[in-house]
Amino acid sequence: MPLYAYRCGEDGPAEVTAPMGAAPATISCPTCGGEARRMITVPRLGLADRTRVAAIDRAEASRTEPTVVSAPPARPSRPRPAPRLDPRTAALPRP
């Protein structure tokens, strides 16, 4: 849930968690009970996981600046079958 910041005229800042878009414009101050108005603050995106932020940035950049390739990707080589561990199974038919 998002964290919303409020400021009371007497006691200063207070933070409240509420569902996104459901935060009221004013709350009663948790200290004095007076009216505290909601403040507009910067989102705390800097606290996000760096790998997720990098993935979001790459996805956003690919929308307007797609990467250009000179050739299609190489076909993967066929994997070798796993060696049979029991020599008695060597005479069995292969799939």
Side-chain angles (χ1 to χ4, degrees):
M1 271 200 242
L3 186 66
Y4 293 96
Y6 291 87
R7 179 172 296 281
C8 174
E10 296 177 24
D11 295 317
E15 294 180 335
V16 175
T17 57
M20 189 174 287
T26 60
I27 62 168
S28 60
C29 177
T31 306
C32 69
E35 185 178 89
R37 305 186 119 238
R38 190 166 117 196
M39 300 186 314
I40 304 298
T41 58
V42 177
R44 297 181 183 181
L45 299 178
L47 301 176
D49 181 21
R50 291 189 185 273
T51 55
R52 286 186 180 159
V53 171
I56 292 169
D57 290 342
R58 280 193 307 272
E60 189 68 28
S62 70
R63 182 174 11 161
T64 58
E65 303 166 9
T67 56
V68 178
V69 295
S70 59
R75 296 181 85 189
S77 62
R78 292 182 68 185
R80 301 179 92 189
R84 296 178 187 240
L85 301 177
D86 189 352
R88 294 174 292 178
T89 60
L92 294 175
R94 295 180 182 244

